[in-house]
Amino acid sequence: MIAAPEPGPTERDLVERAVNLRPVLLERQPETERLTHYPKDTHDDFLRAGFYRMLQPRRYGGYEFGLPTFYRVVTEIARGCPSTGWALSLTAAHVLQVATLFGEKAQDEIFGADGDFRAASTVAPIGVAQPDGDGHVVLDGTWPYSSGAPYSTHYVGQTLRAPDRPGGPPGPPVLFVAPRSVWTVLDDWHGVLGLRGSGSNSIHMEQARIPAYLTCEASLLDLPVEGGSVGYELHGNPMYAGRAPSFYHGELAAIMTGTAYAAADEYARAIADRPLTLEPDRTRADLHDYQRHLGEALGVIHTAEAALQRTAEEWMETCRRNTTGDAPFTTAEDNRLALMFLNAGRMTWDVLQGTLFRTAGSRHARDGERLQRYFRDAATYWTHVGPSMAEPLARRVGCDRLGLPSGHIPLIP
């Protein structure tokens, strides 16, 4: 057992810490975009708050808090800075897959003596895992869009198994965990429209050798968890026997919910501060239309957050049923939960761009304006691989309901 740096914080403690960080995260937004990742002061704040350990097993110095709490913290951090919320979520989250799929020997090594673990990842497999004949595999390649890479201690990546014969096709997907010592972060997260401070750099490996037990034949899009998992047997928590795609869509929905709240906060401030042209003793906040715009937006955001939290509870319950034998955590269940999360994220995008940004006025589209930043961040989310899964997920859910096969429908091209 590894002791957590701070024993005994509650789920409520961590949510309150995230709320209390909002003012300083707002102030650091420009610096975060300039650096292309959140500053070290923010990283230190997260270490002290315990945010990186929310989903980590207690055995390895974590808190084992559930998805509802994790998503609430991510939402509050994104409300202070969407780029920061994105990077926090996509580094603190991958511990869940590591704790689910890898055996005790691997986890002992990965979490080390102090349990300090953060891992960037990306969904696309790159290259092949070449066995070296000495119990190791060799990795070569560049994995792009590795959000949170600057502060990651490990990389949870995907590659393909080496061909069975020279010149043959590569084998199935291989999931691996690579320590920071075998890869480098490329300075290539520049020139993007939004999420400029998310640290979504590429990471590069050149003849990187890792023990074969830090790999397993699995894909993040289809984890082998039906009926339980190695991680559940090791930790006794059903949370470590869940599928990844739906969980991942929940991450994005949490970030977008926080971003939409941030936009509503800025909208309320802006209309309250802006005098009317012909009645300078009154502001836009006195006008019925702006009151209605804000109220309609908040109604949608509150609804999206409620959907996010309820679906998180369903994900946890589906894991529990999977380990008790009541019902396996099937791909069909994963499809259903993923689409629910995705719809929550889509609701927030629609109201952010269609109501808040549209009616705030063109002065808020200028560089340096927070609403412009939130619009850019949300628009970049909308181009991400996650939301692009909306149509195939909808088709899968329809086929599942009709009793038709759906596994052949690819989630990504």
Side-chain angles (χ1 to χ4, degrees):
M1 291 289 292
I2 297 173
E6 179 195 4
T10 66
E11 294 178 331
R12 182 172 180 175
D13 288 336
L14 266 68
V15 173
E16 289 179 351
R17 291 171 188 179
V19 172
N20 292 335
L21 274 174
R22 191 185 309 156
V24 72
L25 294 176
L26 286 166
E27 292 177 3
R28 291 173 183 166
Q29 283 181 8
E31 182 185 10
T32 297
E33 286 204 334
R34 179 180 61 80
L35 293 171
T36 72
H37 57 266
Y38 54 74
K40 186 177 183 303
D41 286 346
T42 298
H43 172 58
D44 290 340
D45 288 335
F46 290 172
L47 286 171
R48 285 189 295 269
F51 293 158
Y52 295 123
R53 296 175 182 259
M54 286 184 285
L55 299 175
Q56 193 159 312
R58 292 191 185 95
R59 177 189 182 103
Y60 297 114
Y63 298 122
E64 286 192 26
F65 293 152
L67 258 62
T69 296
F70 180 77
Y71 290 153
R72 282 198 65 194
V73 169
V74 169
T75 294
E76 293 298 341
I77 295 300
R79 190 170 182 172
C81 176
S83 281
T84 299
W86 186 282
L88 169 64
S89 185
L90 273 68
T91 51
H94 295 113
V95 67
L96 200 61
Q97 288 80 55
V98 172
T100 295
L101 290 178
F102 289 85
E104 183 175 5
K105 180 179 181 181
Q107 293 195 36
D108 284 349
E109 179 171 325
I110 290 165
F111 294 113
D114 58 5
D116 190 34
F117 178 87
R118 299 171 295 282
S121 184
T122 194
V123 71
I126 302 293
V128 295
Q130 294 283 2
D132 70 350
D134 189 30
H136 289 71
V137 297
V138 179
L139 302 169
D140 269 296
T142 299
W143 284 257
Y145 302 108
S146 301
S147 300
Y151 294 109
S152 290
T153 62
H154 294 75
Y155 191 74
V156 177
Q158 296 191 102
T159 184
L160 298 174
R161 193 181 70 191
D164 293 331
R165 62 184 188 282
V174 173
L175 193 68
F176 66 85
V177 182
R180 182 64 177 257
S181 58
V182 304
W183 50 270
T184 57
V185 179
L186 303 185
D187 184 20
D188 61 356
W189 189 242
H190 302 280
V192 291
L193 175 67
L195 296 171
R196 293 177 179 175
S198 62
S200 299
N201 305 65
S202 300
I203 70 104
H204 178 71
M205 299 188 201
E206 192 167 332
Q207 292 292 295
R209 294 176 75 251
I210 63 172
Y213 58 79
L214 295 184
T215 71
C216 64
E217 285 197 3
S219 166
L220 288 175
L221 295 177
D222 188 20
L223 299 183
V225 299
E226 292 188 34
S229 68
V230 172
Y232 171 67
E233 294 299 322
L234 181 60
H235 302 297
N237 188 332
M239 182 171 68
Y240 302 120
R243 290 185 175 270
S246 49
F247 165 77
Y248 177 58
H249 283 286
E251 288 186 77
L252 302 187
I255 297 162
M256 277 300 296
T257 300
T259 304
Y261 273 127
D265 292 341
E266 182 63 14
Y267 188 91
R269 186 202 63 78
I271 64 174
D273 288 352
R274 180 149 180 201
L276 299 179
T277 304
L278 300 180
E279 300 178 73
D281 59 330
R282 302 176 68 209
T283 68
R284 288 190 172 189
D286 294 311
L287 300 183
H288 293 177
D289 282 343
Y290 289 94
Q291 296 165 2
R292 176 173 50 82
H293 294 324
L294 180 58
E296 288 178 347
L298 287 171
V300 172
I301 300 166
H302 292 327
T303 302
E305 184 178 29
L308 167 68
Q309 286 294 308
R310 181 68 188 97
T311 309
E313 293 169 0
E314 283 201 41
W315 191 93
M316 297 287 288
E317 175 61 17
T318 305
C319 290
R320 187 196 66 78
R321 292 197 304 267
N322 187 39
T323 57
T324 60
D326 294 337
F329 199 147
T330 62
T331 303
E333 279 293 279
D334 196 44
N335 293 336
R336 180 181 68 85
L337 295 168
L339 190 57
M340 292 167 69
F341 281 132
L342 197 153
N343 282 336
R346 179 162 50 186
M347 289 169 64
T348 58
W349 159 245
D350 287 344
V351 77
L352 192 158
Q353 60 92 17
T355 300
L356 296 173
F357 186 75
R358 179 181 65 83
T359 66
S362 57
R363 69 172 57 186
H364 297 287
R366 295 176 179 272
D367 288 345
E369 292 287 336
R370 284 178 181 161
L371 266 177
Q372 187 229 53
R373 181 175 294 122
Y374 301 150
F375 174 81
R376 289 190 285 103
D377 291 341
T380 301
Y381 152 81
W382 198 236
T383 68
H384 188 266
V385 65
S388 74
M389 296 180 189
E391 291 184 2
L393 271 173
R395 186 180 166 202
R396 279 190 173 197
V397 169
C399 288
D400 293 338
R401 177 63 179 83
L402 293 168
L404 300 174
S406 66
H408 66 286
I409 302 170
L411 292 178
I412 56 176

